[in-house]
Amino acid sequence: MINTKASKFSPLTHTCTSQHTMNLVYAFLLFFSVAAILVHGQLNERLSSKAIFTGVDNTDPDASRVKIFRNPRNHASAIASIIANRAQSNFFLPKTLAREKLPDHFYKFASSLPTRTILKSTRKRDFFLDLTGDLNQFKEVITANYVPLSGKADDAASAFVEQIPQSLDTQSDESWALVLITIHGGDNDQIAFDISWINVLLSFDNGSVIIPEQTAYMSQGSYKVETDQLVRNADLLADLFSTIEVAEFEDELSTPEPEAPGQLLNDWLLGSDHTWESESLPLIYTNRRRQNLYPLLQLRVGL
């Protein structure tokens, strides 16, 4: 049986009473992550991501940037903006980067999420999935273990299964991470966030991609968005983060099919002579202008 267990683990959220204790915790987590890599094998070679929104989005499309963060009815857009900006500041760009370039950026992005202030953990689970090699069984075992923010776990399982590629770059086995990023708009404008992924080995056999028999690793982290933090720090957050709509969040953090680099990023990397208007630039370009503000603003707002 092929065993592809976790090669990296997401950082845990702790409340520490001193900087010394915090440093000890981080040192332990770093040691634990490195040990996990040594024990459980290679890093993911490829990554596919899917971002979805569920529930109700009450965001006012005409709201100013400050009001996006200050008014709870706009907080679906607010958290989508924060997540998308964190992804782009860590170059986790599923829409534009090749899948083999995404794994390292993903783990940096996941560890950069504001889990000490804006996101309050409600569920953290790391577990293993015993797979028989049957695609239906793969979906069933995800359904049995995944706890959705709302609705049916079967919907999330389908989102994972849909990310399995139709072909592999090589004829040999490849280690993949399948990522699902979810924002949910609930009653009374309460927003929840979930980031989950599965580390799984994929094989190419007789012209088709298959999931061989193995023990795969799955991680799920669910969070409640702290409304008071967004409201209280609205002015600072509006200066720190560009704002986007929920649909843009879904688009930017999802891997396209078929895989192809985005034209705008591709032109930029190739040194295109085209002059882009400021308002038409994606977040990564507009944020580049204020990236020197990040350390100070993050310190002040506690992100």
Side-chain angles (χ1 to χ4, degrees):
M1 180 173 69
I2 299 174
N3 190 349
T4 56
K5 296 184 180 179
S7 57
K8 285 191 177 183
F9 295 85
S10 62
L12 304 178
T13 302
H14 294 271
T15 301
C16 300
T17 58
S18 70
Q19 185 62 45
H20 177 68
T21 304
M22 182 76 77
N23 291 339
L24 288 177
V25 169
Y26 285 150
F28 170 76
L29 290 175
L30 177 61
F31 170 80
F32 184 74
S33 297
V34 172
I37 294 172
L38 294 176
V39 172
H40 296 303
Q42 62 183 352
L43 301 176
N44 296 116
E45 299 171 287
R46 304 283 189 276
L47 183 146
S48 177
S49 174
K50 186 173 182 63
I52 61 175
F53 179 86
T54 61
V56 180
D57 178 12
N58 292 320
T59 301
D60 178 3
D62 297 321
S64 66
R65 186 181 296 184
V66 171
K67 288 183 178 180
I68 288 293
F69 295 101
R70 180 165 292 152
N71 189 337
R73 69 169 293 185
N74 298 323
H75 281 179
S77 178
I79 197 63
S81 302
I82 292 173
I83 300 303
N85 271 272
R86 281 300 168 94
Q88 292 176 332
S89 65
N90 287 280
F91 270 80
F92 177 59
L93 307 171
K95 183 180 179 180
T96 55
L97 288 185
R99 292 172 179 177
E100 65 269 18
K101 297 183 181 297
L102 289 172
D104 284 344
H105 295 301
F106 169 71
Y107 290 113
K108 292 175 184 177
F109 153 67
S111 65
S112 76
L113 295 174
T115 54
R116 299 177 197 168
T117 51
I118 294 173
L119 299 177
K120 180 179 180 181
S121 179
T122 58
R123 182 182 297 107
K124 181 68 181 73
R125 304 171 65 231
D126 300 288
F127 48 93
F128 297 100
L129 307 176
D130 292 323
L131 306 179
T132 64
D134 179 76
L135 186 61
N136 290 328
Q137 189 266 348
F138 177 57
K139 182 177 179 180
E140 290 171 359
V141 74
I142 296 173
T143 301
N145 286 277
Y146 182 86
V147 181
L149 296 176
S150 67
K152 301 178 181 178
D154 183 69
D155 294 335
S158 296
F160 279 112
V161 171
E162 290 168 1
Q163 294 189 65
I164 297 175
Q166 296 182 1
S167 62
L168 301 180
D169 292 340
T170 65
Q171 298 299 311
S172 60
D173 295 342
E174 291 183 357
S175 177
W176 279 69
L178 306 179
V179 177
L180 181 62
I181 305 172
T182 306
I183 295 177
H184 176 71
D187 297 333
N188 300 319
D189 296 315
Q190 179 59 58
I191 307 299
F193 173 74
D194 184 279
I195 181 167
S196 301
W197 66 91
I198 300 173
N199 289 352
V200 63
L201 193 71
L202 300 180
S203 297
F204 197 74
D205 182 58
N206 293 326
S208 300
V209 176
I210 64 170
I211 301 176
E213 181 182 352
Q214 63 188 280
T215 300
Y217 166 78
M218 184 170 185
S219 178
Q220 179 178 11
S222 299
Y223 303 88
K224 171 187 174 183
V225 175
E226 295 282 60
T227 301
D228 291 345
Q229 287 283 352
L230 295 178
V231 173
R232 184 163 53 247
N233 295 292
D235 291 324
L236 283 174
L237 291 169
D239 189 34
L240 181 59
F241 297 111
S242 300
T243 54
I244 63 173
E245 297 178 356
V246 166
E248 294 177 89
F249 153 81
E250 294 179 300
D251 183 54
E252 293 294 331
L253 271 68
S254 295
T255 306
E257 187 64 43
E259 181 180 351
Q263 188 59 47
L264 181 58
L265 180 62
N266 193 47
D267 287 344
W268 179 73
L269 292 174
L270 294 177
S272 172
D273 292 331
H274 189 93
T275 301
W276 302 101
E277 297 296 332
S278 175
E279 292 302 318
S280 69
L281 292 174
L283 299 183
I284 187 170
Y285 302 100
T286 55
N287 283 353
R288 187 182 297 274
R289 298 176 178 176
R290 66 168 75 91
Q291 64 182 3
N292 59 321
L293 298 178
Y294 277 17
L296 176 61
L297 289 174
Q298 289 176 354
L299 178 64
R300 291 178 62 188
V301 79
L303 295 178

